[in-house]
Amino acid sequence: MEPVADVTLADDASTTGGGGADDGDAAASLPWGDVWGQPEAVAALREAASDPASMTHAWLITGPPGSGRSTLAHAFAAALIAEPGDERAMQQVLAGTHPDLTALRTEGVIISIKDARALVERSYFSPSLGRYRVIVMEDADRMAERTSNVLLKALEEPPERTVWVLCAPSDADLLPTIRSRVRTLRLREPDIADVADLIVRRSAVDPVIAEQSARHAQRHIGMAQRLATDAAARARRDATLRGVLAVRGVGDAVEVAGAIVAAATDDAKALTAERDEAERASLLRTLGIAEGAAIPPAVRSQLSALEDDQKRRATRSLRDGIDRVLTDLESMFRDVLMLQFGRDAVLINRELEPELRALAAAWTPERTLTVVDRIGVTRENLELNAAPALALESMLVTVASGRTP
């Protein structure tokens, strides 16, 4: 019997950059109804799914965070797997329950070799029900070189009816050997006004808040959605930026860095704690262990494996939260630079304009660029497992002094 795909789905239309159609329209335009703002990409993939001459065995969908890469990848998978007009099969693929779809989204810091090998193994199964077997790898940029090498042969010589769909922010995030084996489809970045309009229609929030959230999120639809619907998230972002603007010395740098890490840690816990508990309870029920009962030695390894996975997920969630803060800080000091060059019509953080104008007058453009560069270095250091608090402290010392440590 054909094994059912073990699917970990990525961002759906409610949290990423995909959706745009009303619910009724989405149902009437399967499988593309949840793909928003990417007509050229949809046209290319629709043609590929319907015309074998336009088809290739491996694709790379690139675009900025929140542009809807995963939503488009799953819509394409539905168009490939289902027979034309078979809405039931399309809905199964979009829900992640069709046996001919295998999808991976890492919840750790990197995609492991074990996960990559599992995808490669699955890629050699023939389709069980649909026209194609489709392997969707989200976060393909999170592969180390050794992991990428696992995929090379599978991408170069896949079975006749297997299609790979990789997703990444840009093709530069993947090795040249991977890029040479895929057809790249680049998504466009939506306009702020379009993102705001989508959020208003989707969540019925105040148009002013929707525009502000789209601007602060820099067109990232999932983040804009969260900011628009979560007053506490908007307040945390504002407090973080104002805290950084107030840094004047080492003591301030240590205090603000600690506050950023604490806020990101709390946010990560809030996002993962409920799911962690539900997963633990589900595993214990599957193993036939009553709630509160002692864990038999024979099953402790399974529980430990689950806890290890949850720790990796929490680490990624924390890293992603701090990376979001760094993105916000980049936007703020980019605004300072724009003011220094007289470009005040394109500010991301308009609400801080008086403070940013004062900073623009007090600093030279060279100092602003030094800070922006240091933020980029901090991001790289965190990817190399630097301690978050120490990395942020070092960056904030540069903010206070204009010099790199």
Side-chain angles (χ1 to χ4, degrees):
M1 180 177 176
E2 173 75 3
V4 176
D6 181 12
V7 176
T8 301
L9 282 178
D11 309 322
D12 58 22
S14 66
T15 58
T16 70
D22 294 332
D23 292 342
D25 294 337
S29 56
L30 286 169
W32 310 101
D34 277 343
V35 180
W36 175 83
Q38 304 292 345
E40 298 88 356
V42 168
L45 294 181
R46 190 192 293 270
E47 180 182 3
S50 60
D51 180 7
S54 301
M55 191 57 192
T56 188
H57 64 277
W59 297 74
L60 171 61
I61 299 177
T62 67
S67 60
R69 300 184 304 252
S70 63
T71 305
L72 184 60
H74 285 276
F76 184 37
L80 288 172
I81 291 170
E83 296 289 345
D86 187 347
E87 292 190 358
R88 182 174 180 275
M90 292 180 191
Q91 289 169 340
Q92 282 184 308
V93 177
L94 294 174
T97 58
H98 197 286
D100 292 328
L101 170 72
T102 302
L104 172 70
R105 179 192 182 188
T106 179
E107 294 188 319
V109 176
I110 62 170
I111 294 176
S112 69
I113 289 182
K114 176 183 176 183
D115 289 338
R117 285 175 176 157
L119 287 186
V120 170
E121 180 181 351
R122 187 60 57 87
S123 75
Y124 287 103
F125 290 127
S126 298
S128 58
L129 299 175
R131 298 188 301 149
Y132 290 92
R133 173 169 297 281
V134 180
I135 312 294
V136 176
M137 176 183 277
E138 304 181 27
D139 307 311
D141 55 304
R142 292 181 180 264
M143 288 189 292
E145 182 173 353
R146 291 174 61 231
T147 307
S148 297
N149 290 333
V150 171
L151 297 185
L152 289 179
K153 185 176 180 181
L155 291 175
E156 190 172 28
E157 301 175 359
E160 183 178 354
R161 292 199 292 158
T162 292
V163 177
W164 285 82
V165 184
L166 311 183
C167 301
S170 75
D171 52 1
D173 293 313
L174 301 178
L175 294 178
T177 48
I178 295 289
R179 299 200 299 267
S180 67
R181 289 164 171 79
V182 300
R183 176 177 169 183
T184 300
L185 187 67
R186 295 177 176 86
L187 304 188
R188 73 176 186 88
E189 192 172 42
D191 294 331
I192 288 175
D194 292 337
V195 175
D197 181 63
L198 173 65
I199 292 172
V200 169
R201 289 188 286 110
R202 184 184 281 176
S203 304
V205 300
D206 185 287
V208 174
I209 292 177
E211 187 279 335
Q212 179 194 83
S213 299
R215 184 165 29 86
H216 287 176
Q218 300 177 64
R219 304 178 180 85
H220 186 302
I221 297 175
M223 183 56 63
Q225 178 85 17
R226 185 182 182 193
L227 288 173
T229 56
D230 188 342
R234 297 197 300 273
R236 280 196 300 273
R237 181 185 188 278
D238 183 72
T240 297
L241 297 189
R242 292 183 185 277
V244 171
L245 286 174
V247 171
R248 295 292 181 268
V250 174
D252 293 338
V254 172
E255 181 179 350
V256 172
I260 291 172
V261 173
T265 301
D266 291 343
D267 211 25
K269 288 179 179 178
L271 290 171
T272 60
E274 184 175 345
R275 181 177 174 184
D276 288 351
E277 185 57 37
E279 288 175 343
R280 178 184 171 88
S282 176
L283 176 61
L284 293 179
R285 283 196 303 271
T286 301
L287 296 173
I289 300 172
E291 183 177 355
I295 307 298
V299 301
R300 286 176 186 166
S301 62
Q302 296 181 57
L303 194 60
S304 295
L306 173 63
E307 291 170 350
D308 288 342
D309 287 342
Q310 291 175 340
K311 287 176 182 176
R312 284 191 288 269
R313 184 168 65 208
T315 298
R316 172 176 171 173
S317 184
L318 174 60
R319 294 271 185 87
D320 288 349
I322 294 176
D323 188 75
R324 186 67 231 175
V325 171
L326 294 176
T327 299
D328 291 335
L329 293 179
E330 280 182 332
S331 78
M332 183 171 71
F333 291 110
R334 171 258 186 205
D335 284 347
V336 173
L337 201 60
M338 292 299 101
L339 289 170
Q340 288 172 329
F341 287 98
R343 300 286 301 279
D344 56 358
V346 291
L347 298 184
I348 294 171
N349 301 281
R350 294 176 193 159
E351 296 72 20
L352 295 173
E353 185 170 347
E355 294 87 344
L356 299 182
R357 283 192 179 278
L359 200 59
W363 286 9
T364 64
E366 290 77 14
R367 177 169 175 176
T368 308
L369 286 171
T370 296
V371 170
V372 172
D373 289 344
R374 190 63 192 173
I375 293 172
V377 170
T378 301
R379 178 174 277 120
E380 293 172 1
N381 290 341
L382 290 171
E383 289 176 355
L384 296 173
N385 291 324
L390 293 178
L392 290 172
E393 288 171 12
S394 177
M395 180 199 71
L396 292 174
V397 168
T398 298
V399 171
S401 67
R403 298 185 300 272
T404 55

